[in-house]
Amino acid sequence: MDSQLHGSCLCGGVRYKAALPVFHSSHCYCTMCQKQHGAAAGSYANMARAGFVVQQGAELITEYASSAEGRRGFCRVCGSTLFWRSTASPDRIAITLGTLEPEYAGPVERELYIDTKPAWLPHGG
Ligand SMILES: [Zn+2]
Ligand SMILES: [Zn+2]
């Protein structure tokens, strides 16, 4: 089994890999994630920053400081959200599940900020 996750942005300019394991994964419904992703949530795999390697297009990645400690990395060509990190936890990085190839196979254990989870999400069933 591959010991890395692989991912890329929509335009293909940025390609990265990240060394397993995934410590945990999450759907974050905070309003900042909703704005940045233009979606109900930001979905992330929390991993070791030391194992995150940008293989192509590092110059295309822009980081936005969304809070005092939060940094949100995206491709400046296509806008794909690539990762979230906190300067308070410099050893970790949260990689967006939607940019992984192939599709993320692991469970998503956590839902964060469910108090701002949008009512327009399907409720299943
Ligand atoms: Zn791109
Ligand atoms: Zn969030």
Side-chain angles (χ1 to χ4, degrees):
M1 187 176 160
D2 199 344
S3 60
Q4 311 269 344
L5 296 181
H6 299 268
S8 65
C9 65
L10 177 60
C11 75
V14 178
R15 306 199 76 84
Y16 68 84
K17 63 180 180 179
L20 291 168
V22 173
F23 300 123
H24 64 265
S25 53
S26 62
H27 297 307
C28 180
Y29 302 102
C30 83
T31 55
M32 287 191 290
C33 283
Q34 290 184 33
K35 284 283 189 187
Q36 195 203 11
H37 294 259
S43 300
Y44 305 102
N46 191 287
M47 302 177 77
R49 178 124 183 253
F52 178 72
V53 176
V54 177
Q55 299 166 287
Q56 177 188 304
E59 73 281 4
L60 302 180
I61 298 174
T62 298
E63 286 198 15
Y64 172 65
S66 57
S67 65
E69 295 172 344
R71 300 289 182 273
R72 295 168 179 271
F74 60 94
C75 173
R76 67 178 169 84
V77 175
C78 67
S80 290
T81 57
L82 297 165
F83 59 82
W84 182 93
R85 66 185 182 88
S86 171
T87 57
S89 303
D91 57 327
R92 297 289 187 95
I93 191 166
I95 293 161
T96 52
L97 297 184
T99 59
L100 293 173
E101 295 171 347
E103 179 182 304
Y104 183 62
V108 176
E109 303 95 340
R110 300 185 185 182
E111 288 190 298
L112 307 175
Y113 293 90
I114 55 172
D115 53 319
T116 49
K117 188 173 182 174
W120 43 260
L121 271 180
H123 294 279

